[in-house]
Short mmCIF file of all heavy atoms in Angstrom, two decimals:
data_model
loop_
_atom_site.label_atom_id
_atom_site.label_comp_id
_atom_site.label_asym_id
_atom_site.label_seq_id
_atom_site.Cartn_x
_atom_site.Cartn_y
_atom_site.Cartn_z
N SER A 1529 207.37 41.42 -100.74
CA SER A 1529 207.06 42.75 -101.26
C SER A 1529 206.62 42.69 -102.72
O SER A 1529 205.67 43.36 -103.12
CB SER A 1529 208.27 43.67 -101.12
OG SER A 1529 207.96 44.95 -101.58
N LEU A 1530 207.28 41.87 -103.50
CA LEU A 1530 206.96 41.75 -104.93
C LEU A 1530 205.52 41.28 -105.13
O LEU A 1530 204.82 41.76 -106.03
CB LEU A 1530 207.93 40.80 -105.62
CG LEU A 1530 207.76 40.60 -107.12
CD1 LEU A 1530 207.97 41.92 -107.86
CD2 LEU A 1530 208.75 39.55 -107.63
N ARG A 1531 205.05 40.35 -104.31
CA ARG A 1531 203.68 39.87 -104.44
C ARG A 1531 202.66 40.95 -104.15
O ARG A 1531 201.53 40.90 -104.63
CB ARG A 1531 203.46 38.66 -103.54
CG ARG A 1531 204.07 37.40 -104.09
CD ARG A 1531 203.67 36.19 -103.29
NE ARG A 1531 204.25 36.13 -101.98
CZ ARG A 1531 205.37 35.49 -101.67
NH1 ARG A 1531 206.03 34.84 -102.59
NH2 ARG A 1531 205.83 35.50 -100.44
N ILE A 1532 203.05 41.95 -103.39
CA ILE A 1532 202.11 43.03 -103.05
C ILE A 1532 202.19 44.17 -104.06
O ILE A 1532 201.17 44.62 -104.57
CB ILE A 1532 202.36 43.54 -101.61
CG1 ILE A 1532 202.03 42.42 -100.62
CG2 ILE A 1532 201.52 44.78 -101.31
CD1 ILE A 1532 202.41 42.71 -99.19
N VAL A 1533 203.40 44.65 -104.37
CA VAL A 1533 203.51 45.83 -105.22
C VAL A 1533 203.61 45.50 -106.72
O VAL A 1533 203.44 46.38 -107.55
CB VAL A 1533 204.70 46.73 -104.82
CG1 VAL A 1533 204.51 47.27 -103.41
CG2 VAL A 1533 206.02 46.03 -104.96
N LYS A 1534 203.90 44.25 -107.05
CA LYS A 1534 203.93 43.77 -108.43
C LYS A 1534 204.95 44.50 -109.32
O LYS A 1534 204.76 44.60 -110.51
CB LYS A 1534 202.55 43.87 -109.08
CG LYS A 1534 201.53 42.98 -108.48
CD LYS A 1534 200.17 42.97 -109.12
CE LYS A 1534 199.88 43.91 -110.23
NZ LYS A 1534 198.54 43.81 -110.75
N ASN A 1535 206.00 45.00 -108.74
CA ASN A 1535 207.04 45.64 -109.52
C ASN A 1535 208.38 45.32 -108.86
O ASN A 1535 208.60 45.63 -107.69
CB ASN A 1535 206.84 47.16 -109.57
CG ASN A 1535 207.91 47.85 -110.38
OD1 ASN A 1535 209.02 48.05 -109.89
ND2 ASN A 1535 207.58 48.22 -111.60
N GLU A 1538 210.45 48.39 -107.40
CA GLU A 1538 209.84 48.94 -106.19
C GLU A 1538 209.97 47.96 -105.03
O GLU A 1538 210.22 48.35 -103.89
CB GLU A 1538 208.38 49.29 -106.45
CG GLU A 1538 208.22 50.45 -107.41
CD GLU A 1538 206.79 50.72 -107.82
OE1 GLU A 1538 205.88 50.02 -107.32
OE2 GLU A 1538 206.58 51.61 -108.64
N ILE A 1542 211.67 48.71 -101.47
CA ILE A 1542 210.92 48.51 -100.23
C ILE A 1542 211.66 47.55 -99.31
O ILE A 1542 211.76 47.77 -98.10
CB ILE A 1542 209.49 48.00 -100.54
CG1 ILE A 1542 208.69 49.13 -101.20
CG2 ILE A 1542 208.80 47.49 -99.29
CD1 ILE A 1542 207.39 48.67 -101.84
N VAL A 1571 208.11 44.63 -93.81
CA VAL A 1571 208.08 44.60 -95.27
C VAL A 1571 206.64 44.71 -95.77
O VAL A 1571 206.35 45.48 -96.70
CB VAL A 1571 208.75 43.31 -95.81
CG1 VAL A 1571 208.52 43.15 -97.31
CG2 VAL A 1571 210.24 43.33 -95.52
N ILE A 1572 205.74 43.96 -95.17
CA ILE A 1572 204.33 43.99 -95.60
C ILE A 1572 203.74 45.37 -95.37
O ILE A 1572 203.08 45.93 -96.26
CB ILE A 1572 203.52 42.91 -94.86
CG1 ILE A 1572 203.91 41.53 -95.38
CG2 ILE A 1572 202.02 43.14 -95.02
CD1 ILE A 1572 203.35 40.37 -94.58
N ASN A 1573 203.98 45.95 -94.21
CA ASN A 1573 203.44 47.28 -93.93
C ASN A 1573 204.00 48.32 -94.90
O ASN A 1573 203.26 49.17 -95.41
CB ASN A 1573 203.74 47.69 -92.49
CG ASN A 1573 202.89 46.93 -91.50
OD1 ASN A 1573 201.86 46.35 -91.84
ND2 ASN A 1573 203.32 46.91 -90.25
N ASN A 1574 205.31 48.26 -95.18
CA ASN A 1574 205.91 49.20 -96.12
C ASN A 1574 205.36 49.00 -97.53
O ASN A 1574 205.13 49.97 -98.26
CB ASN A 1574 207.43 49.07 -96.14
CG ASN A 1574 208.08 49.65 -94.90
OD1 ASN A 1574 207.45 50.37 -94.13
ND2 ASN A 1574 209.34 49.32 -94.68
N SER A 1575 205.14 47.75 -97.92
CA SER A 1575 204.61 47.46 -99.25
C SER A 1575 203.18 47.97 -99.40
O SER A 1575 202.83 48.59 -100.41
CB SER A 1575 204.65 45.95 -99.53
OG SER A 1575 205.96 45.47 -99.50
N ILE A 1576 202.37 47.72 -98.38
CA ILE A 1576 200.98 48.21 -98.43
C ILE A 1576 200.95 49.73 -98.40
O ILE A 1576 200.17 50.35 -99.14
CB ILE A 1576 200.16 47.60 -97.28
CG1 ILE A 1576 199.95 46.10 -97.54
CG2 ILE A 1576 198.81 48.30 -97.12
CD1 ILE A 1576 199.29 45.36 -96.41
N TYR A 1577 201.78 50.34 -97.59
CA TYR A 1577 201.86 51.80 -97.56
C TYR A 1577 202.22 52.34 -98.94
O TYR A 1577 201.60 53.28 -99.43
CB TYR A 1577 202.88 52.26 -96.51
CG TYR A 1577 203.06 53.75 -96.49
CD1 TYR A 1577 202.15 54.58 -95.83
CD2 TYR A 1577 204.14 54.36 -97.13
CE1 TYR A 1577 202.29 55.95 -95.82
CE2 TYR A 1577 204.31 55.73 -97.13
CZ TYR A 1577 203.38 56.52 -96.47
OH TYR A 1577 203.52 57.89 -96.48
N HIS A 1578 203.22 51.74 -99.57
CA HIS A 1578 203.64 52.16 -100.90
C HIS A 1578 202.50 52.02 -101.91
O HIS A 1578 202.25 52.91 -102.71
CB HIS A 1578 204.85 51.34 -101.35
CG HIS A 1578 205.32 51.67 -102.72
ND1 HIS A 1578 206.07 52.78 -103.00
CD2 HIS A 1578 205.12 51.05 -103.91
CE1 HIS A 1578 206.33 52.83 -104.30
NE2 HIS A 1578 205.76 51.78 -104.87
N LEU A 1579 201.80 50.90 -101.86
CA LEU A 1579 200.68 50.66 -102.76
C LEU A 1579 199.58 51.69 -102.54
O LEU A 1579 199.03 52.25 -103.51
CB LEU A 1579 200.14 49.25 -102.55
CG LEU A 1579 199.12 48.73 -103.54
CD1 LEU A 1579 199.74 48.62 -104.93
CD2 LEU A 1579 198.61 47.38 -103.09
N ASN A 1580 199.27 51.98 -101.29
CA ASN A 1580 198.25 52.99 -100.99
C ASN A 1580 198.66 54.38 -101.46
O ASN A 1580 197.83 55.16 -101.93
CB ASN A 1580 197.94 53.01 -99.49
CG ASN A 1580 197.16 51.79 -99.05
OD1 ASN A 1580 196.52 51.13 -99.86
ND2 ASN A 1580 197.24 51.47 -97.78
N GLU A 1581 199.94 54.70 -101.33
CA GLU A 1581 200.42 56.00 -101.81
C GLU A 1581 200.26 56.10 -103.33
O GLU A 1581 199.91 57.16 -103.84
CB GLU A 1581 201.88 56.22 -101.42
CG GLU A 1581 202.08 56.51 -99.95
CD GLU A 1581 201.38 57.78 -99.50
OE1 GLU A 1581 201.58 58.84 -100.12
OE2 GLU A 1581 200.59 57.70 -98.53
N GLN A 1582 200.52 55.03 -104.04
CA GLN A 1582 200.34 55.04 -105.49
C GLN A 1582 198.88 55.26 -105.85
O GLN A 1582 198.58 55.99 -106.79
CB GLN A 1582 200.82 53.73 -106.11
CG GLN A 1582 202.31 53.62 -106.20
CD GLN A 1582 202.71 52.34 -106.93
OE1 GLN A 1582 202.05 51.32 -106.83
NE2 GLN A 1582 203.80 52.43 -107.65
N ILE A 1583 198.00 54.61 -105.11
CA ILE A 1583 196.57 54.76 -105.38
C ILE A 1583 196.14 56.19 -105.11
O ILE A 1583 195.38 56.77 -105.89
CB ILE A 1583 195.76 53.75 -104.53
CG1 ILE A 1583 196.02 52.33 -105.03
CG2 ILE A 1583 194.27 54.08 -104.57
CD1 ILE A 1583 195.49 51.24 -104.12
N LYS A 1584 196.64 56.78 -104.03
CA LYS A 1584 196.30 58.18 -103.71
C LYS A 1584 196.77 59.12 -104.81
O LYS A 1584 196.10 60.09 -105.14
CB LYS A 1584 196.93 58.59 -102.38
CG LYS A 1584 196.24 58.04 -101.18
CD LYS A 1584 196.94 58.50 -99.91
CE LYS A 1584 196.39 57.81 -98.70
NZ LYS A 1584 197.13 58.16 -97.47
N LYS A 1585 197.93 58.85 -105.36
CA LYS A 1585 198.48 59.69 -106.42
C LYS A 1585 197.87 59.35 -107.77
O LYS A 1585 198.17 59.99 -108.76
CB LYS A 1585 199.99 59.52 -106.51
CG LYS A 1585 200.73 60.03 -105.32
CD LYS A 1585 202.22 59.79 -105.47
CE LYS A 1585 202.98 60.23 -104.24
NZ LYS A 1585 204.40 59.92 -104.36
N GLN A 1586 197.04 58.31 -107.78
CA GLN A 1586 196.41 57.82 -109.00
C GLN A 1586 197.42 57.49 -110.07
O GLN A 1586 197.23 57.76 -111.25
CB GLN A 1586 195.38 58.82 -109.52
CG GLN A 1586 194.23 59.03 -108.58
CD GLN A 1586 193.23 60.02 -109.11
OE1 GLN A 1586 193.51 60.78 -110.02
NE2 GLN A 1586 192.06 60.01 -108.53
N GLU A 1587 198.53 56.91 -109.61
CA GLU A 1587 199.54 56.45 -110.54
C GLU A 1587 199.31 54.98 -110.78
O GLU A 1587 198.93 54.23 -109.91
CB GLU A 1587 200.94 56.62 -109.96
CG GLU A 1587 201.36 58.05 -109.80
CD GLU A 1587 202.75 58.13 -109.19
OE1 GLU A 1587 203.34 57.09 -108.86
OE2 GLU A 1587 203.21 59.25 -109.03
N THR A 1588 199.56 54.57 -111.98
CA THR A 1588 199.53 53.15 -112.27
C THR A 1588 200.91 52.62 -111.97
O THR A 1588 201.90 53.15 -112.47
CB THR A 1588 199.19 52.91 -113.76
OG1 THR A 1588 197.96 53.56 -114.04
CG2 THR A 1588 199.11 51.44 -114.06
N PRO A 1589 201.01 51.57 -111.14
CA PRO A 1589 202.34 51.06 -110.84
C PRO A 1589 203.01 50.54 -112.11
O PRO A 1589 202.37 49.94 -112.97
CB PRO A 1589 202.09 49.92 -109.86
CG PRO A 1589 200.65 49.61 -109.96
CD PRO A 1589 199.96 50.81 -110.52
N LEU A 1590 204.30 50.83 -112.22
CA LEU A 1590 205.04 50.30 -113.34
C LEU A 1590 205.00 48.79 -113.23
O LEU A 1590 205.27 48.23 -112.20
CB LEU A 1590 206.49 50.80 -113.30
CG LEU A 1590 206.67 52.30 -113.43
CD1 LEU A 1590 208.13 52.66 -113.24
CD2 LEU A 1590 206.18 52.78 -114.78
N LEU A 1625 193.75 40.73 -110.40
CA LEU A 1625 192.71 41.13 -109.46
C LEU A 1625 192.89 42.59 -109.04
O LEU A 1625 193.97 43.16 -109.15
CB LEU A 1625 192.78 40.25 -108.20
CG LEU A 1625 192.43 38.78 -108.35
CD1 LEU A 1625 192.66 38.06 -107.02
CD2 LEU A 1625 191.00 38.60 -108.80
N LYS A 1626 191.80 43.18 -108.53
CA LYS A 1626 191.90 44.52 -107.97
C LYS A 1626 192.94 44.49 -106.86
O LYS A 1626 193.15 43.46 -106.21
CB LYS A 1626 190.56 44.97 -107.40
CG LYS A 1626 189.48 45.14 -108.42
CD LYS A 1626 188.15 45.68 -107.89
CE LYS A 1626 187.89 45.60 -106.43
NZ LYS A 1626 186.55 46.03 -106.01
N ASP A 1627 193.60 45.62 -106.63
CA ASP A 1627 194.69 45.67 -105.65
C ASP A 1627 194.29 45.15 -104.27
O ASP A 1627 195.01 44.36 -103.68
CB ASP A 1627 195.24 47.10 -105.53
CG ASP A 1627 196.10 47.49 -106.71
OD1 ASP A 1627 196.58 46.60 -107.43
OD2 ASP A 1627 196.27 48.71 -106.93
N ASN A 1628 193.13 45.59 -103.74
CA ASN A 1628 192.76 45.17 -102.40
C ASN A 1628 192.48 43.66 -102.36
O ASN A 1628 192.81 42.99 -101.39
CB ASN A 1628 191.60 45.97 -101.85
CG ASN A 1628 190.36 45.89 -102.70
OD1 ASN A 1628 190.41 45.54 -103.88
ND2 ASN A 1628 189.23 46.25 -102.13
N TYR A 1629 191.89 43.10 -103.41
CA TYR A 1629 191.66 41.66 -103.48
C TYR A 1629 193.00 40.91 -103.54
O TYR A 1629 193.21 39.93 -102.86
CB TYR A 1629 190.84 41.29 -104.71
CG TYR A 1629 189.35 41.59 -104.62
CD1 TYR A 1629 188.79 42.23 -103.52
CD2 TYR A 1629 188.50 41.22 -105.65
CE1 TYR A 1629 187.44 42.50 -103.46
CE2 TYR A 1629 187.15 41.49 -105.59
CZ TYR A 1629 186.62 42.12 -104.49
OH TYR A 1629 185.28 42.37 -104.43
N ARG A 1630 193.90 41.40 -104.39
CA ARG A 1630 195.19 40.74 -104.57
C ARG A 1630 195.99 40.76 -103.26
O ARG A 1630 196.55 39.74 -102.85
CB ARG A 1630 195.99 41.43 -105.68
CG ARG A 1630 197.34 40.80 -105.96
CD ARG A 1630 198.08 41.50 -107.08
NE ARG A 1630 198.04 42.95 -107.02
CZ ARG A 1630 198.76 43.69 -106.19
NH1 ARG A 1630 199.59 43.12 -105.35
NH2 ARG A 1630 198.66 45.00 -106.20
N VAL A 1631 196.01 41.90 -102.59
CA VAL A 1631 196.75 42.01 -101.34
C VAL A 1631 196.14 41.10 -100.27
O VAL A 1631 196.86 40.37 -99.58
CB VAL A 1631 196.80 43.48 -100.86
CG1 VAL A 1631 197.35 43.58 -99.45
CG2 VAL A 1631 197.63 44.33 -101.81
N ALA A 1632 194.82 41.11 -100.16
CA ALA A 1632 194.16 40.28 -99.14
C ALA A 1632 194.42 38.80 -99.39
O ALA A 1632 194.75 38.06 -98.46
CB ALA A 1632 192.65 40.56 -99.14
N THR A 1634 196.91 37.48 -101.13
CA THR A 1634 198.34 37.22 -100.94
C THR A 1634 198.67 37.06 -99.46
O THR A 1634 199.35 36.12 -99.07
CB THR A 1634 199.19 38.36 -101.55
OG1 THR A 1634 198.95 38.41 -102.95
CG2 THR A 1634 200.66 38.15 -101.30
N LEU A 1635 198.16 37.97 -98.65
CA LEU A 1635 198.42 37.89 -97.21
C LEU A 1635 197.83 36.62 -96.61
O LEU A 1635 198.46 35.95 -95.79
CB LEU A 1635 197.87 39.12 -96.49
CG LEU A 1635 198.57 40.43 -96.78
CD1 LEU A 1635 197.81 41.60 -96.14
CD2 LEU A 1635 200.01 40.41 -96.30
N MET A 1650 195.52 45.41 -92.98
CA MET A 1650 194.85 46.23 -93.99
C MET A 1650 193.96 47.31 -93.38
O MET A 1650 193.32 48.08 -94.10
CB MET A 1650 194.04 45.33 -94.94
CG MET A 1650 194.91 44.40 -95.76
SD MET A 1650 193.98 43.43 -96.96
CE MET A 1650 193.56 44.71 -98.15
#
Side-chain angles (χ1 to χ4, degrees):
S1529 182
L1530 182 62
R1531 284 189 290 266
I1532 294 172
V1533 297
K1534 295 183 355 181
N1535 180 282
E1538 292 173 2
I1542 291 167
V1571 170
I1572 289 170
N1573 287 342
N1574 287 346
S1575 299
I1576 290 174
Y1577 177 80
H1578 178 78
L1579 190 64
N1580 288 338
E1581 287 298 308
Q1582 284 185 327
I1583 291 169
K1584 285 180 188 175
K1585 293 178 183 177
Q1586 296 180 343
E1587 293 179 357
T1588 304
L1590 296 175
L1625 293 175
K1626 294 184 342 185
D1627 285 340
N1628 58 341
Y1629 284 4
R1630 181 179 44 76
V1631 170
T1634 298
L1635 291 173
M1650 295 184 72

